[in-house]
Amino acid sequence: MATAASSENIPSVAVPPTQTEPPASSRARTQTYGSADFQIIRRNGKLTAFDPTKIAVAMTKAFLAVEGGSAAASQRVHDTVEELTKQVVNALTRRHPDGGTVHIEDIQDQVELALMRAGEHKVARSYVLYREQQAQKRAEEAEKKKAELGIEETQVVNVTLADGGTAPLDLQRMHKLVAEACKGLAETDPETILKDTCRNLYDGVKDRDVSQALVMSSRTLIDTDPNYSHVAARLLLDLLRREALSFLGLDSHVETQAEMGERYGEYFKAYIKRAADMELLDKRLTQYDLEALSKCLVPERDLEFTYLGLQTLYDRYFIHDGDGTRFELPQAFFMRVAMGLAAREDNPNARAIEFYDLLSSFDYMSSTPTLFNAGTLRPQLSSCFLTTVPDDLDGIYGAIRDNAMLSKWAGGLGNDWTPVRALGSYIKGTNGKSQGVVPFLKVVNDTAVAVNQGGKRKGAVCSYLETWHLDIEEFLELRKNTGDDRRRTHDMNTANWIPDLFMKRVFEDQEWTLFSPNEVPDLHDLYGRAFEKRYEDYEARTRSGELTLFKRVKAADLWRKMLSMLFETGHPWITFKDSCNVRSPQQHIGVVHSSNLCTEITLNTSQEEVAVCNLGSINLAQHIVNDKLDIKKLKSSVRTAVRMLDNVIDINYYSVPQARKSNMRHRPVGLGIMGFQDALYRLRIPYGSDAAVNFADSSMEAIGYYAIDASCRLAKERGAYPSFSGSLWSRGILPIDSLRLLRQERGEDYLDVN
């Protein structure tokens, strides 16, 4: 029996003795497949070059072995083999876009899969049987050799070390790592991970790539059981430990997380000092009692991560040098954030430990900017910034500059564009006509792309426009994938800012009038009944001829277009101006003109103030203890969380002065939740049930109550915020009570709350 090739780096099948080579025409055709930047791992661990033409040769022989070599069959075989070979090469390229190494068995799997998908079942069956025969033959030869020599044939793999030297693969260390990674996790099998990893190793593999192969092998098993996500994360820790310890000049030969636990304190102190010397962290962090803090680290909490969580921290959050070397480990990361937030406390060491315990236990999580920047030389810790864009060129480009500066330090943005005059409106200074809002929004979109969030994630901005603005119809189409691309913003979010009067017109099937804001300037700052009265006055002026730049549309038609665009593009979002302002605690001192890109905050903006939101989230799932919500633990978590959020305001780095003015004056904080669905799972409550709604109601009531209580305690300790007097808070009107104000403003016919 002849084989497809003498080399082991291609698939092999039996061919008839009369046809040991494919025709020359076939050999010529197989030269068109090109080559990929791969190397093939043979079964003995050696590497050979990847040559796609050998796949074509082997497949041709497989077909000829089944169908014979007649002229009629030959042409079909040539065409089929060419197409199937391309499919195999493309599949390998998709799986490994940057090249690398591929095991011979993986190539043979792809060949088998391509044959089956093409409906060549007889050829595929012959191919599968031959692979099995060869596997049995190899096993028999190994047993024979073992019997003759008294030894078992093993794959010999040498590892290339960081200094260029080589050493035998340390199988004992691999077994130890994987065993620890699987410890305590049901339905995980260390042997499965080791077997798959060893199959993908080759002689001369880099030491770091061995650890990476362990991670990848466990990651592929996550679909079989979610516990493998924890296994993959624990194996990833090995890479992190070795990278960090080597960078700091410490002995990196730490075999397990348990051994690392004994050295975490030594590492932590070296990390803080080195990062401060490199001007990556604030020098003031070195003034903490590092010895005391290091003793409070809980290394075993590193084992609680899932793979995606830890990989995300590694990619985006951990402190690193200019070459991208990460030398911040998870518990050092949490302590660094805690130290940054406790810097101005009377007892910073004790507070840092308190904050660290809350963060590292996953009971509470600060917002991304806080996690990015706490403890650094530019501690921009706030989440989002809201601006109002004025109707003049200096103001417009000043707002775009502010966007760039705020985005640079990881802030999300919400822009109120309603004051900017509409397309076709008169410009007195130039005696010309305006191009409207849309061209400027294109610049905003491109600025968000150009100035991302600290080089760590995409820039994020949302532009708001009120529904009476004359450019609203073009605004609705900004995210469409058709039309003039110069009037599209594919990377920016958009949102409608809708007054109640518009919705009344929709319900009553009436007309709606669009204006340019330079002709109706006071509508921007009015809401509720005051807005309705003034809006109707302006409509009367259009009928008398005093206002000529306007457009009348059916309110229901505009609403229908809003919903159509929302379904088609996901934008603009629907937000309501009057309810945000009527219920705003700060209505005594300003107007809410927009929200942010996540619509979780409603704060006043003006030419003098850029609103700032300071956010964090309680992990609700972590507060489910013994199948119920642990109120005592929740109370403690919320109190500490609110203190951390209040500290953000004082510690924060402000890249624009209007943001500092607003944050110091109003001191807004936002405490949200995460892990709601996980909490329901632990309580065995279906997500769509009435019980889930009741749990949401009761849990948020508890969080709200303790957050207000914590704020009151801080006020006693630190004093009330400067704009407190005259606010709804000062009048004893809590957020839940403000619903009465909305009912009074709207009337019973337009408010239905259960």
Side-chain angles (χ1 to χ4, degrees):
M1 179 181 289
T3 60
S6 57
S7 176
E8 196 183 8
N9 68 321
I10 58 171
S12 300
V13 294
V15 297
T18 57
Q19 185 77 56
T20 57
E21 287 293 334
S25 61
S26 174
R27 294 197 301 273
R29 292 166 74 92
T30 61
Q31 303 306 311
T32 64
Y33 305 121
S35 61
D37 189 19
F38 294 128
Q39 287 185 300
I40 307 306
I41 305 173
R42 298 170 64 179
R43 292 183 181 87
N44 62 3
K46 301 296 183 181
L47 291 180
T48 56
F50 174 66
D51 184 356
T53 61
K54 292 183 178 180
I55 296 176
V57 171
M59 291 180 71
T60 299
K61 291 181 178 180
F63 273 93
L64 295 178
V66 173
E67 299 185 2
S70 67
S74 180
Q75 185 61 46
R76 190 192 79 82
V77 168
H78 296 162
D79 294 341
T80 303
V81 165
E82 182 172 356
E83 178 58 32
L84 294 180
T85 304
K86 288 180 180 178
Q87 292 179 17
V88 172
V89 174
N90 288 339
L92 294 172
T93 303
R94 284 195 303 270
R95 294 173 61 192
H96 307 275
D98 299 322
T101 57
V102 182
H103 197 276
I104 184 174
E105 294 284 355
D106 291 335
I107 297 180
Q108 292 182 344
D109 288 344
Q110 288 298 322
V111 171
E112 183 180 316
L113 185 60
L115 289 169
M116 293 296 293
R117 285 176 172 170
E120 303 292 346
H121 301 299
K122 290 183 179 180
V123 179
R125 180 177 182 276
S126 175
Y127 188 82
V128 171
L129 291 174
Y130 183 75
R131 286 184 68 183
E132 180 61 27
Q133 292 171 4
Q134 290 297 98
Q136 292 178 2
K137 182 179 177 181
R138 286 191 296 271
E140 291 171 358
E141 290 175 351
E143 286 296 323
K144 182 178 179 181
K145 187 171 184 180
K146 179 180 178 181
E148 291 175 352
L149 302 177
I151 60 172
E152 185 173 358
E153 185 179 29
T154 59
Q155 175 179 324
V156 179
V157 174
N158 290 307
V159 176
T160 302
L161 305 177
D163 60 4
T166 61
L169 177 66
D170 192 343
L171 287 171
Q172 184 177 1
R173 182 176 187 275
M174 288 176 61
H175 278 271
K176 203 170 183 179
L177 278 172
V178 177
E180 183 194 56
C182 293
K183 185 177 180 181
L185 299 175
E187 306 301 325
T188 59
D189 180 21
E191 291 303 319
T192 300
I193 298 172
L194 287 166
K195 182 179 179 181
D196 184 73
T197 301
C198 290
R199 197 187 76 161
N200 288 288
L201 299 180
Y202 53 90
D203 194 40
V205 64
K206 293 181 180 178
D207 188 25
R208 178 183 175 84
D209 290 343
V210 175
S211 297
Q212 188 64 51
L214 286 168
V215 175
M216 298 305 292
S217 294
S218 56
R219 196 180 77 170
T220 59
L221 296 170
I222 293 175
D223 287 343
T224 65
D225 191 280
N227 274 339
Y228 278 108
S229 181
H230 289 281
V231 176
R234 294 174 181 185
L235 292 171
L236 178 59
L237 280 170
D238 180 52
L239 280 167
L240 271 59
R241 291 191 299 263
R242 297 169 77 176
E243 183 175 352
L245 294 175
S246 295
F247 181 84
L248 294 173
L250 303 174
D251 181 11
S252 62
H253 192 72
V254 177
E255 295 192 352
T256 65
Q257 182 68 12
E259 293 178 10
M260 181 64 201
E262 300 173 1
R263 302 182 53 190
Y264 228 108
E266 173 195 7
Y267 150 75
F268 173 72
K269 290 179 285 186
Y271 149 73
I272 292 292
K273 292 175 181 176
R274 180 69 178 277
D277 289 341
M278 296 173 66
E279 297 185 336
L280 296 173
L281 295 183
D282 193 320
K283 283 280 188 182
R284 286 175 292 184
L285 266 60
T286 63
Q287 298 171 11
Y288 278 84
D289 186 343
L290 298 182
E291 184 66 33
L293 296 186
S294 66
K295 292 179 180 179
C296 294
L297 297 173
V298 188
E300 55 268 26
R301 288 179 179 169
D302 282 357
L303 301 176
E304 298 303 313
F305 284 97
T306 61
Y307 173 74
L308 181 60
L310 187 59
Q311 186 67 57
T312 301
L313 284 182
Y314 179 84
D315 291 338
R316 296 188 179 186
Y317 291 83
F318 287 165
I319 296 293
H320 55 82
D321 70 354
D323 295 327
T325 302
R326 271 68 173 168
F327 59 101
E328 184 174 62
L329 295 178
Q331 299 312 305
F333 161 73
F334 287 128
M335 185 60 85
R336 182 257 299 173
V337 174
M339 293 163 71
L341 291 174
R344 297 193 182 185
E345 292 278 3
D346 292 337
N347 189 342
N349 289 294
R351 289 297 184 186
I353 293 169
E354 177 187 350
F355 297 167
Y356 163 79
D357 282 336
L358 195 65
L359 290 168
S360 63
S361 62
F362 302 157
D363 289 346
Y364 165 82
M365 197 55 58
S366 297
S367 66
T368 285
T370 303
L371 299 177
F372 277 164
N373 300 322
T376 67
L377 273 65
R378 294 288 186 274
Q380 196 301 101
L381 313 179
S382 298
S383 300
C384 290
F385 299 83
L386 278 62
T387 67
T388 287
V389 183
D391 185 32
D392 63 80
L393 209 56
D394 284 344
I396 289 171
Y397 279 94
I400 293 173
R401 176 199 176 275
D402 289 346
N403 275 6
M405 294 303 297
L406 294 166
S407 182
K408 175 182 178 180
W409 302 105
L413 306 167
N415 296 155
D416 159 34
W417 282 87
T418 299
V420 177
R421 68 190 64 194
L423 176 67
S425 57
Y426 180 63
I427 304 175
K428 184 177 180 180
T430 63
N431 198 30
K433 291 188 176 182
S434 171
Q435 290 295 304
V437 174
V438 171
F440 294 116
L441 295 181
K442 182 70 172 176
V443 180
V444 172
N445 178 89
D446 294 343
T447 301
V449 173
V451 186
N452 61 17
Q453 297 187 32
K456 298 174 182 178
R457 61 177 182 175
K458 291 182 179 180
V461 59
C462 183
S463 293
Y464 284 74
L465 201 70
E466 286 201 47
T467 315
W468 53 262
H469 197 290
L470 196 56
D471 287 347
I472 188 65
E473 291 177 295
E474 277 202 282
F475 181 80
L476 296 177
E477 297 183 343
L478 283 171
R479 290 297 298 262
K480 287 186 69 172
N481 291 320
T482 57
D484 186 353
D485 205 56
R486 292 169 297 181
R487 303 185 78 81
R488 298 290 181 265
T489 56
H490 301 296
D491 307 285
M492 183 184 75
N493 303 300
T494 57
N496 290 297
W497 194 239
I498 304 172
D500 284 354
L501 180 59
F502 173 74
M503 298 309 302
K504 291 180 181 179
R505 296 282 179 92
V506 172
F507 291 144
E508 297 168 3
D509 197 24
Q510 295 180 352
E511 287 188 330
W512 181 250
T513 308
L514 307 178
F515 298 101
S516 180
N518 62 310
E519 296 193 352
V520 291
D522 51 344
L523 288 184
H524 181 243
D525 286 332
L526 296 175
Y527 57 88
R529 293 177 181 175
F531 173 88
E532 184 171 343
K533 183 177 184 302
R534 191 62 171 154
Y535 182 85
E536 290 174 347
D537 288 344
Y538 283 125
E539 285 188 311
R541 293 189 189 186
T542 65
R543 288 187 284 271
S544 67
E546 293 180 64
L547 290 177
T548 58
L549 185 60
F550 66 91
K551 181 179 179 180
R552 288 195 180 91
V553 297
K554 291 278 288 184
D557 290 343
L558 184 57
W559 177 244
R560 188 175 294 109
K561 185 171 183 179
M562 288 180 179
L563 297 182
S564 297
M565 289 298 100
L566 189 62
F567 279 107
E568 181 180 339
T569 69
H571 295 83
W573 301 321
I574 305 296
T575 54
F576 296 100
K577 173 184 182 179
D578 288 3
S579 56
C580 291
N581 277 284
V582 171
R583 302 188 67 182
S584 170
Q586 296 297 103
Q587 58 188 256
H588 67 302
I589 205 165
V591 179
V592 180
H593 294 118
S594 69
S595 184
N596 61 331
L597 61 97
C598 304
T599 66
E600 82 272 38
I601 61 164
T602 50
L603 301 172
N604 303 339
T605 58
S606 66
Q607 299 299 304
E608 294 76 33
E609 291 188 0
V610 170
V612 186
C613 67
N614 312 286
L615 304 178
S617 297
I618 292 290
N619 187 351
L620 207 54
Q622 287 294 107
H623 294 80
I624 303 300
V625 180
N626 298 325
D627 297 326
K628 65 179 181 179
L629 183 63
D630 189 331
I631 295 297
K632 184 178 180 180
K633 180 179 180 181
L634 186 65
K635 177 181 179 180
S636 175
S637 296
V638 169
R639 282 184 175 176
T640 301
V642 169
R643 189 178 193 93
M644 294 167 72
L645 288 171
D646 190 62
N647 286 355
V648 163
I649 297 168
D650 296 315
I651 296 168
N652 206 45
Y653 166 75
Y654 296 96
S655 56
V656 297
Q658 305 97 310
R660 178 183 178 83
K661 179 179 180 180
S662 174
N663 222 19
M664 291 297 185
R665 189 181 186 193
H666 310 300
R667 303 190 72 86
V669 298
L671 184 63
I673 64 167
M674 59 188 290
F676 176 73
Q677 186 168 345
D678 290 338
L680 292 179
Y681 176 79
R682 295 183 182 186
L683 293 170
R684 299 294 188 267
I685 297 176
Y687 189 84
S689 66
D690 290 340
V693 175
N694 293 333
F695 175 72
D697 188 44
S698 61
S699 59
M700 285 307 300
E701 181 180 3
I703 291 173
Y705 175 84
Y706 290 124
I708 295 171
D709 174 69
S711 181
C712 292
R713 291 172 179 270
L714 278 175
K716 288 182 179 180
E717 177 184 337
R718 299 174 173 178
Y721 65 90
S723 63
F724 173 77
S725 181
S727 68
L728 294 190
W729 295 111
S730 71
R731 292 153 54 190
I733 302 174
L734 302 184
I736 192 171
D737 303 320
S738 65
L739 191 62
R740 293 199 304 269
L741 301 178
L742 187 61
R743 178 174 282 107
Q744 293 169 9
E745 194 71 27
R746 280 187 181 175
E748 294 289 345
D749 293 340
Y750 293 100
L751 186 64
D752 182 12
V753 179
N754 294 322

